[in-house]
Amino acid sequence: FSTTATQPAEAARICSRVGVMAAATDRPALWRAGPPGCEAVQRSRKLTFALRNPGESMAVAGAEDAGHLLTVFSPKGGAGKTTFAVNVGVGLAIKGYSTLLLDLDLAFGDVPISLGLRPEHDFSEVVNMGERLDAAALKRLVTVHESGLHVLAPPTDPGVHERVTIPMLRRLIQVATSEYQYVLADTAPSLDERSITIMENSDTVFLLTTLDIPSLKNLKIALETLRLVNFPVERLRVVMNRADSKVGQSILDRARRL
């Protein structure tokens, strides 16, 4: 997979500071029209939106200034997925970017615990609103961390995730990216229809793994599954977490076993 970053340089730098291998770029972040090259970026955004939302107007959806959706996924628990998402989110917020972290591990999410938050609202209210969710409602549901990071907490009732539909997720993503410069999605460790929907709407997907054989095996299966559904490989970034640990074998040695 390509290691050329598709996201602004700031996100790549922050990723590198949380102790992981992440793509980097020297290209400046292009947020709204202004410097040379932004016109091409806007055309690219329009084309991407048209492909993802056939028949819908960008002016109506507010996609002209849409933020970046970064998805963090791991096919195996314990890889550091939530820690990675939290650290990147806090880093972006501290840098002054408006950032929302969606805890989309709806049955077992622990982003609020990781940040020491006590949310008054959670994802169950998004489910109740359904297609009626708008920007004002979303802002009322988030919990604000001291860093400035906004967090949408998972439901306290684990049964809520069974009521979550694909249109609900698409609506949430549309509203969130219209309001925030960066939206991070911390997903469940299962490659189901919901996870794939989130990935399909993402600018970049970080696939986290560690160097143990079960994790690498699950990563291989996840990559093969994404190939089968024709997921654009240029959006994928494989993150080897704890890569500097003294585990006694090289990545190549472990990969050969697969």
Side-chain angles (χ1 to χ4, degrees):
F1 291 99
S2 169
T3 57
T4 303
T6 58
Q7 293 304 308
E10 195 62 56
R13 284 196 294 270
I14 290 171
C15 288
S16 68
R17 290 172 187 166
V18 299
V20 299
M21 295 166 61
T25 177
D26 294 327
R27 288 175 292 176
L30 299 178
W31 178 237
R32 288 185 173 85
C38 282
E39 185 177 346
V41 171
Q42 294 296 340
R43 288 198 302 270
S44 176
R45 285 178 179 167
K46 289 178 181 178
L47 177 59
T48 300
F49 181 81
L51 292 172
R52 295 184 189 176
N53 305 273
E56 188 170 352
S57 167
M58 288 186 68
V60 173
E64 188 85 31
D65 297 324
H68 298 286
L69 176 60
L70 312 178
T71 292
V72 184
F73 175 80
S74 175
K76 184 177 181 296
K81 171 176 62 69
T82 296
T83 301
F84 177 87
V86 164
N87 285 339
V88 172
V90 168
L92 288 168
I94 288 175
K95 284 290 186 179
Y97 296 102
S98 60
T99 307
L100 171 65
L101 175 52
L102 303 172
D103 193 338
L104 297 181
D105 188 349
L106 300 178
F108 303 104
D110 53 12
V111 166
I113 293 176
S114 300
L115 288 168
L117 299 176
R118 295 178 177 270
E120 296 182 3
H121 306 279
D122 61 44
F123 196 91
S124 62
E125 294 172 75
V126 172
V127 174
N128 292 336
M129 291 180 191
E131 293 291 312
R132 296 179 289 109
L133 179 71
D134 59 19
L138 179 60
K139 287 293 182 72
R140 290 195 300 269
L141 300 181
V142 301
T143 304
V144 182
H145 183 253
E146 61 185 12
S147 65
L149 174 66
H150 288 199
V151 175
L152 180 61
T156 54
D157 177 3
V160 168
H161 80 280
E162 298 177 358
R163 297 164 48 202
V164 176
T165 65
I166 300 303
M168 283 181 191
L169 288 175
R170 287 177 177 153
R171 178 62 181 171
L172 173 60
I173 291 169
Q174 181 188 60
V175 172
T177 53
S178 71
E179 288 298 306
Y180 293 89
Q181 290 173 289
Y182 286 95
V183 178
L184 288 101
D186 182 15
T187 61
S190 59
L191 202 55
D192 55 16
E193 186 180 8
R194 293 170 187 162
S195 295
I196 291 177
T197 296
I198 297 165
M199 293 180 185
E200 286 176 341
N201 286 273
S202 301
D203 297 282
T204 296
V205 176
F206 295 102
L207 298 176
L208 264 75
T209 187
T210 52
L211 298 181
D212 58 280
I213 295 297
S215 294
L216 291 173
K217 182 264 295 180
N218 286 4
L219 173 65
K220 178 184 177 183
I221 294 172
L223 290 171
E224 290 175 347
T225 302
L226 291 172
R227 285 194 185 100
L228 287 174
V229 298
N230 296 317
F231 188 87
V233 296
E234 64 271 13
R235 294 193 214 162
L236 297 176
R237 298 292 178 271
V238 175
V239 179
M240 305 298 297
N241 204 8
R242 309 186 191 104
D244 58 348
S245 301
K246 296 180 180 179
V247 294
Q249 287 181 303
S250 69
I251 296 175
L252 183 59
D253 290 336
R254 288 171 180 264
R256 283 173 177 157
R257 294 192 178 192
L258 301 177

